[in-house]
Amino acid sequence: MVDVILKADSDQGLINRNIYGHFSEHLGRCIYEGLWVGEDSPIPNTDGIRNDVLTALQKLNIPVLRWPGGCFADEYHWKDGVGPKSERARMINTHWGGVEENNHFGTHEFLRLCELLGTEPYISGNLGSGTVQEMQEWVEYITFDGESPMANWRKSNGREEPWKMKYFGVGNENWGCGGNMRPEYYADEYRRYATYVRNYSGNEIYKIACGPNEGNYEWMEVLMREAARFMDGISLHYYTIPTGEWNDKGAATGFGEAEWFTTLKKTLHMDELLVKHSEIMDKYDPEGRVGIIVDEWGTWYNVEPGTNPGFLYQQNTMRDAVLAGVNLNIFNQHNKRVHMANLAQIVNVLQSLVLTEGDKMLLTPTYHVFDMYQVHMDAQRLDLNYESPGYTFGEETIPQLSLSASRNKDGVIHVTACNLSHTDELEVVCQLDAAQAAKVNGQILHHTDFGAFNTFEQPNHVQPVAWDGITVENNTLRFVLPPASVGVLAVEG
């Protein structure tokens, strides 16, 4: 049993809804077949965007969607993706599978998707192989409401009114696939390119610099020292790889107890990364203006057997669900620095919400976690005091319990909870300070097989159910978390 004190009057600032953001790259079957099938497809669609996926994603109230990459962003030339589709340039996607990219899904199509989802677009600009002029003209094309060659071209392509675009990334992974740059060089390039990411027609852009990979603290130090005043956010990328080896990352399914434990142990490293990078940022930005944008995170396993290794297609199990819940709890706890996070990726790639095969679609366990956790969006974070029991496997121990709590605008308190242990249930006794609890209900995502996943034959094999056995008496909550589970509680006064 673990004792928890929830301080209902301890407002710790807003949990930015963008923490629950997503990422769509021109990679494998994420865009084509996943989100986009084209207007002439027999698969039901709206303006080429498949309806089943659209409906599923609308339910999540996705706050922000990143596009077109990823590594693809720094070889993407946006002008190839506008105008009549029959006239758009074709290219080879050299990063991801060597397949042909026909550019049928471009700026207009992406922004239409965002409109249908009710989500903010986050566009990653090409600093690695593009020009300053190209980046400046893309922003102008999208946002300028006036007389100019780019605005007139947009209008001739069927969009009279400009779009609103809040988030723009100036390059991606420029320490690697985006140009193999040194931090000092990229800092200067960022300053140059960002100068021309202009605000047009009342549109105000939140500029995001390419930040470090994992624990590259030197990169963060240099960027904050040299360019903090020119940015609004700085990215951070961290993927959870069970083996820690890029050449053999481990399987997405059929794993054992050791792989379960190791994967969760490695994902908890996210907290250390946020603490240490935040300490560096505090030196140059003590008021906390610049946000950490964790715009690539999630699991990365070996691809499914028989699939194109460049497509990064992997299954999604209860292990991924627990891992997603743990990371979202971590982001919530760092809400004063973390302004956005984007799970990689939204459909058919890495830790997806949705998988498709032809006209079939399924929701993954990770999808259900995001559905359950959306209650934290724009809610006030509340303090939780507890000491987690240890979860030991072999000679190593990690915390068994991960929690987060918030209060929404209607005064409802929500608690999200993850049990990392694959063997032991956990009883939690939560004292509610400064709150009157009259009613409680919840949902639990759990399966007796910690490696369980959904298939096209059994799409509902893993899904949340009503959480029975929760009690509240004298402002004390009691509940039991089954092994390897994710739950959400709603407490009303």
Side-chain angles (χ1 to χ4, degrees):
M1 188 180 77
V2 58
D3 292 314
V4 177
I5 298 175
L6 190 159
K7 298 182 177 181
D9 59 351
S10 60
D11 289 353
Q12 297 298 308
L14 212 64
I15 295 173
N16 196 314
R17 65 187 294 104
N18 290 332
I19 283 173
Y20 296 85
H22 293 279
F23 174 31
S24 55
E25 183 169 5
H26 287 247
L27 196 174
R29 296 187 300 112
C30 181
I31 301 295
Y32 302 103
E33 298 184 40
L35 292 167
W36 174 264
V37 292
E39 297 93 337
D40 299 328
S41 172
I43 297 173
N45 66 86
T46 300
D47 299 332
I49 298 159
R50 56 184 296 164
N51 288 342
D52 54 357
V53 174
L54 187 62
T55 299
L57 297 180
Q58 285 170 334
K59 185 173 184 285
L60 298 181
N61 295 306
I62 289 171
V64 62
L65 183 62
R66 182 176 182 238
W67 173 85
C71 290
F72 185 81
D74 278 289
E75 65 177 32
Y76 180 67
H77 300 283
W78 70 270
K79 293 180 182 180
D80 293 341
V82 298
K85 292 184 177 63
S86 62
E87 299 175 13
R88 296 185 188 182
R90 294 172 180 262
M91 60 181 284
I92 298 298
N93 191 332
T94 56
H95 279 295
W96 305 120
V99 295
E100 183 181 274
E101 163 69 53
N102 63 19
N103 278 306
H104 283 191
F105 189 90
T107 300
H108 287 250
E109 292 75 22
F110 171 67
L111 293 171
R112 176 60 174 147
L113 170 63
C114 290
E115 288 177 341
L116 291 169
L117 290 176
T119 189
E120 292 275 2
Y122 166 17
I123 288 179
S124 293
N126 183 347
L127 182 145
S129 68
T131 65
V132 170
Q133 180 179 350
E134 181 181 9
M135 189 176 289
Q136 179 267 318
E137 288 179 339
W138 199 4
V139 175
E140 180 185 332
Y141 182 94
I142 292 170
T143 63
F144 184 49
D145 184 17
E147 178 73 22
S148 78
M150 292 300 106
N152 292 342
W153 190 22
R154 181 193 70 240
K155 293 173 185 177
S156 72
N157 286 330
R159 176 76 184 197
E160 184 69 24
E161 298 297 321
W163 291 278
K164 290 294 184 183
M165 177 182 61
K166 184 172 183 180
Y167 301 103
F168 195 90
V170 183
N172 167 78
E173 293 194 357
N174 300 100
W175 37 260
C177 63
N180 288 307
M181 300 176 186
R182 297 179 304 113
E184 293 83 1
Y185 180 80
Y186 172 74
D188 286 342
E189 286 291 271
Y190 171 82
R191 289 166 57 138
R192 182 166 73 103
Y193 276 69
T195 301
Y196 298 92
V197 177
R198 296 188 173 118
N199 293 328
Y200 294 102
S201 307
N203 183 77
E204 294 188 9
I205 293 178
Y206 181 107
K207 300 178 187 180
I208 300 170
C210 167
N213 184 38
E214 301 185 13
N216 188 342
Y217 301 113
E218 178 194 8
W219 186 281
M220 180 64 84
E221 183 86 36
V222 172
L223 262 293
M224 289 300 296
R225 185 184 70 226
E226 301 296 336
R229 65 188 183 277
F230 301 103
M231 67 176 78
D232 300 297
I234 185 166
S235 69
L236 171 65
H237 291 179
Y238 176 61
Y239 287 98
T240 300
I241 300 171
T243 65
E245 299 292 334
W246 280 96
N247 294 329
D248 185 10
K249 304 175 186 70
T253 60
F255 50 85
E257 296 178 334
E259 289 82 6
W260 167 278
F261 181 89
T262 301
T263 305
L264 292 175
K265 178 177 180 289
K266 288 184 179 295
T267 212
L268 288 168
H269 183 53
M270 180 68 80
D271 185 65
E272 178 184 331
L273 291 172
L274 292 174
V275 168
K276 291 185 176 179
H277 283 300
S278 294
E279 288 172 352
I280 295 170
M281 295 176 73
D282 288 346
K283 292 196 300 183
Y284 302 98
D285 177 39
E287 69 277 15
R289 182 187 64 83
V290 179
I292 293 179
I293 310 297
V294 191
D295 57 19
E296 291 188 32
W297 70 273
T299 54
W300 196 325
Y301 308 126
N302 296 337
V303 301
E304 294 301 307
T307 64
N308 186 324
F311 281 11
L312 306 188
Y313 178 79
Q314 64 188 43
Q315 252 296 353
N316 191 292
T317 71
M318 272 304 307
R319 176 175 61 167
D320 299 284
V322 174
L323 182 145
V326 168
N327 277 276
L328 292 172
N329 286 343
I330 290 171
F331 298 149
N332 288 351
Q333 294 306 110
H334 289 274
N335 64 313
K336 293 180 181 178
R337 269 296 177 194
V338 178
H339 290 188
M340 185 192 300
N342 307 78
L343 179 71
Q345 293 188 9
I346 196 164
V347 185
N348 289 333
V349 173
L350 298 176
Q351 191 174 349
S352 306
L353 301 178
V354 173
L355 301 179
T356 67
E357 191 67 58
D359 62 355
K360 294 180 288 188
M361 182 205 76
L362 65 80
L363 309 178
T364 68
T366 296
Y367 174 97
H368 294 305
V369 172
F370 272 84
D371 192 15
M372 294 160 66
Y373 271 58
Q374 65 175 295
V375 295
H376 288 308
M377 290 184 188
D378 290 338
Q380 290 287 337
R381 182 172 71 83
L382 303 177
D383 260 346
L384 288 162
N385 291 341
Y386 68 101
E387 186 172 341
S388 173
Y391 163 38
T392 300
F393 186 83
E395 297 181 354
E396 296 186 291
T397 300
I398 61 175
Q400 181 181 354
L401 180 63
S402 169
L403 295 175
S404 185
S406 67
R407 187 185 59 251
N408 69 15
K409 59 182 176 56
D410 298 320
V412 179
I413 293 172
H414 290 99
V415 179
T416 48
C418 303
N419 183 356
L420 283 67
S421 172
H422 68 291
T423 55
D424 298 334
E425 67 179 25
L426 182 60
E427 182 182 3
V428 179
V429 178
C430 181
Q431 181 67 42
L432 302 172
D433 272 7
Q436 294 297 318
K439 186 171 66 172
V440 63
N441 62 76
Q443 279 189 311
I444 191 79
L445 184 67
H446 166 65
H447 197 282
T448 53
D449 174 7
F450 64 57
F453 56 93
N454 293 327
T455 66
F456 295 108
E457 294 71 34
Q458 291 185 292
N460 299 317
H461 188 55
V462 180
Q463 60 180 340
V465 296
W467 193 354
D468 297 327
I470 307 167
T471 64
V472 57
E473 185 177 359
N474 297 326
N475 280 355
T476 300
L477 277 174
R478 292 179 181 270
F479 57 89
V480 176
L481 279 166
S485 65
V486 182
V488 58
L489 297 167
V491 183
E492 299 180 52

